[in-house]
Structures are given as structure tokens and as C-alpha cells.
Amino acid sequence: MNKYLIVTDTTSAMSLDIANEYGIELISLSVLLDGQEYKDQQDISTEELYQYLKDDQTPSTSQPNTGYLIEKMEQWQKENYDAIIIITCSSDLSGTNNGFHLAREISSLSLLQLWQYGCCCLSDPFHMDRLLRRQS
């Protein structure tokens, strides 16, 4: 059996619980609030973000920094995967896809495949499964 890794980011709206249940690596976007930077789904929950919005505070987000993505790719390379599939939302909607492309070039991780979907929600395994079946 092939050893593979599926990766997506928190733009997908996938919860950490769902990602863990299905063995999907979830890369956090940065959330900026009150001058503080948080890793989405790690340092701050969706519920906490909603509360900030209810309190008329508007968070901003930022793609994961390239150094962090390179570190993750180097870690994945050491784990001897046969394939790594990274699924992001459209590069027209987020810079994360481009960040992964840049990190792949720098890390020379050749077994990595990058796919993008046309919306900003891939929140459950059903949608992930449909995307993977369409791409294969």
C-alpha cells in the first residue's frame, strides 16, 4: 500500500477534529486580532473568531509564511511518503497556493502535487473525497 499525505489549509473551513479523524494535515492561516497573531484552529477557535465579529472586531488573515511551509515540507520529506497532495482554494482567492508553490521550489520536494479548488470551503471529508476522485 502506498503511503500518502493529504494536506489542506484552514481556508477550507475544515475543523481540526475532522482533519485529525481522517488523517489530513491542516495548515493554519494566521489570524490577526488586536495586534496579536494567532494560528487558526490552533491558537484561536472558530467560535472565538465569531465572538470577535459579534463584538464588532474585524480580524484579518494572512497566508502561512513560506519559512513555515518549507519546514513542514522538510518534515514530510523525512517521513518517506510516496505522494503528498496539497489542496488549497483557488490562487485567485488566496495566496496560500502560491506560497506552497514557492516552498516546493525552495525545498525541492518533487513528490508533491498541488491542487486547487474553486471555492473557499472544503469543510468535510465528503467534499475532499469528491475532489480527490475527480483529480485521479
Side-chain angles (χ1 to χ4, degrees):
M1 170 164 273
N2 292 338
K3 182 179 176 183
Y4 64 91
L5 176 66
I6 297 172
V7 179
T8 192
D9 62 71
T10 54
T11 304
S12 68
M14 183 176 290
S15 73
L16 192 55
D17 291 337
I18 294 286
N20 288 336
E21 181 178 346
Y22 289 90
I24 297 168
E25 177 108 15
L26 192 61
I27 300 295
S28 295
L29 269 66
S30 295
V31 177
L32 307 170
L33 277 165
D34 298 329
Q36 287 282 110
E37 182 176 343
Y38 303 92
K39 291 215 178 284
D40 190 20
Q41 299 291 327
Q42 291 181 17
D43 303 330
I44 192 165
S45 69
T46 302
E47 292 76 21
E48 290 171 305
L49 281 173
Y50 286 150
Q51 188 58 52
Y52 276 100
L53 291 170
K54 287 179 186 177
D55 295 341
D56 289 329
Q57 295 180 351
T58 306
S60 61
T61 60
S62 176
Q63 70 188 48
N65 75 54
T66 305
Y68 173 68
L69 296 178
I70 291 168
E71 285 177 23
K72 295 303 286 183
M73 288 182 184
E74 289 171 349
Q75 174 190 340
W76 301 333
Q77 198 163 22
K78 291 176 186 172
E79 295 178 25
N80 295 318
Y81 287 104
D82 296 313
I84 300 169
I85 302 164
I86 298 177
I87 304 170
T88 68
C89 74
S90 169
S91 58
D92 292 336
L93 301 172
S94 170
T96 303
N97 185 279
N98 293 329
F100 274 116
H101 277 282
L102 179 60
R104 178 177 62 181
E105 286 176 26
I106 293 170
S107 69
S108 302
L109 189 56
S110 60
L111 53 90
L112 186 131
Q113 297 178 37
L114 277 155
W115 296 343
Q116 54 184 319
Y117 52 95
C119 64
C120 270
C121 185
L122 198 57
S123 59
D124 62 57
F126 171 76
H127 289 102
M128 182 72 75
D129 182 66
R130 284 185 55 198
L131 177 69
L132 290 171
R133 289 180 194 281
R134 190 174 72 215
Q135 296 289 334
S136 57

